[in-house]
Amino acid sequence: MTGGMHYHIRVSSTAKHDPILLVHGGAWAIPRDAEAAHEAGVQNALDAGYAILSRGGSALDAVEAAVTILEDDPTFDAGRGSFLTSDGRVQLDALLMDGGRMKAGGVACVERLRNPIQAARLVLEKSPHVYIVGAGAEQFALAHGMSLIDNAELVLDRERERLAAAQARQAAGFADDTFSGHKDDKSPETAFAHDASSHSHDTVGAVALDARGNLAAATSTGGTLNKTPGRVGDSSLIGCGCYADNLAAAVSLTGWGEPIMKLVLGKWATDRVAAGTTPELVAREAIAYLYNRLGGHGGIILLGPDGRFGLAHNTPAMAWGIATVSGSRTGLTV
Ligand code: GLY
């Protein structure tokens, strides 16, 4: 043998599995007048994704379809209707991962794509890379058949008003006192999160197990309100807001991105499932770790290769849904 060992392992089983799809539409204090829209959006995403799984389609196709629906729904902080940057633009991040092929694709800071999760899929399938960001990602998507739109098509008046209110609070020194993190921490990051905690973390995501036993995960976001242009959060960073490996689990997170990134919380959670802890327990442990270690808040959906799953959040609510062979259900708390 002249070189090192050359081999590839594709991890999937030939056994027939009952498909499962879980989705989330953000973890925060969802106002009463927005509850129905959140549950309806999550149900629409379940319907689109599970239709693919039930006809034998792949987990990767299912999570892409589910997240596309959530990006198109202006209820959520993903796609059209996302939070605005401090200069009033929508900048989107998304990642998806195929746990059977161990392939991932991500885009960040894209401004001219209606569905960044579809651009992420193109990165996964058509490029030798895991990430392409900014104008390069937009040009890559255009070259592979996606349309570029004007950023203004993604911006809602609702979000212009929300940005103006956030900037007024910022000018007043973040007077809002709802943040439940470490109050002795006066860093710019914590001051920002302190303000943001009373607002939406509507990042969306999905995890799926298909009939062939393959896992996949997808997460998409407009990021945080009033973020600095160019800021990238946890959602599109591999192992932070999204991860999938057939030998471990599939995960999607939502919430204040910076603490999730520092803990690499998605990989933290899937490693624990691989080591033998149930997804139900790991989901609760992950959110406890997020809060106890860094004062973070958010939510998680986690699905193991045997179909066991866990959901948890430490926010007042998290929009979530599950579809199995037995039917589907949605909820606003776990
Ligand atoms: N979790 C979304 C973000 O912080 O960007």
Side-chain angles (χ1 to χ4, degrees):
M1 195 165 186
T2 53
M5 288 185 290
H6 298 282
Y7 56 86
H8 297 278
I9 301 174
R10 182 187 170 102
V11 181
S12 65
S13 78
T14 51
K16 178 97 170 64
H17 293 253
D18 286 337
I20 299 183
L21 174 67
L22 286 130
V23 306
H24 71 75
W28 61 298
I30 300 171
R32 184 144 295 196
D33 64 3
E35 288 179 350
H38 279 75
E39 288 208 75
V42 163
Q43 184 65 56
N44 290 337
L46 288 176
D47 291 347
Y50 205 76
I52 291 169
L53 291 174
S54 59
R55 60 175 184 258
S58 72
L60 191 64
D61 285 345
V63 295
E64 181 186 344
V67 167
T68 294
I69 295 287
L70 295 166
E71 288 177 340
D72 286 341
D73 187 332
T75 303
F76 303 100
D77 179 32
R80 182 169 171 271
S82 287
F83 284 154
L84 302 183
T85 57
S86 59
D87 63 355
R89 303 174 71 75
V90 166
Q91 271 191 353
L92 303 169
D93 308 334
L95 180 90
L96 48 67
M97 186 157 181
D98 178 338
R101 291 183 290 166
M102 287 303 284
K103 285 176 72 95
V107 297
C109 297
V110 292
E111 299 187 352
R112 303 186 61 200
L113 294 169
R114 191 170 289 281
N115 292 110
I117 200 68
Q118 294 177 4
R121 179 69 184 269
L122 288 172
V123 173
L124 184 153
E125 300 290 357
K126 310 267 186 211
S127 87
H129 310 300
V130 169
Y131 284 102
I132 308 179
V133 305
E138 292 165 358
Q139 290 308 315
F140 179 83
L142 178 67
H144 288 86
M146 288 183 72
S147 303
L148 297 187
I149 59 168
D150 193 305
N151 189 255
E153 291 183 39
L154 301 172
V155 178
L156 299 189
D157 284 343
R158 178 193 74 198
E159 296 306 321
R160 289 194 184 94
E161 286 162 20
R162 202 172 345 219
L163 177 64
Q167 292 182 335
R169 283 193 303 277
Q170 187 175 31
F174 291 124
D176 191 345
D177 193 28
T178 56
F179 177 53
S180 57
H182 296 157
K183 292 187 188 301
D184 54 349
D185 179 355
K186 305 290 187 217
S187 68
E189 177 187 330
T190 298
F192 188 93
H194 181 132
D195 185 65
S197 65
S198 59
H199 306 289
S200 160
H201 285 289
D202 272 346
T203 294
V204 305
V207 293
L209 173 69
D210 65 31
R212 291 183 200 83
N214 286 311
L215 289 169
T219 308
S220 180
T221 190
T224 47
L225 174 61
N226 198 21
K227 67 184 179 182
T228 301
R231 176 264 188 191
V232 177
D234 62 301
S235 305
S236 70
L237 296 186
I238 194 165
C240 296
C242 185
Y243 197 73
D245 179 352
N246 280 12
L247 293 182
V251 67
S252 176
L253 285 125
T254 172
W256 175 29
E258 277 71 11
I260 294 170
M261 289 151 74
K262 285 185 274 191
L263 298 176
V264 197
L265 197 58
K267 186 69 163 66
W268 186 98
T270 58
D271 282 350
R272 271 159 182 74
V273 177
T277 310
T278 65
E280 187 181 7
L281 181 56
V282 172
R284 290 203 299 268
E285 287 177 344
I287 296 303
Y289 177 46
L290 176 65
Y291 182 75
N292 293 334
R293 186 73 181 93
L294 292 175
H297 59 268
I300 184 171
I301 56 176
L302 181 63
L303 176 62
D306 58 2
R308 288 190 291 182
F309 62 89
L311 305 94
H313 58 97
N314 63 354
T315 46
M318 178 173 79
W320 63 272
I322 183 167
T324 70
V325 287
S326 310
S328 65
R329 62 173 291 217
T330 64
L332 293 171
T333 56
V334 174

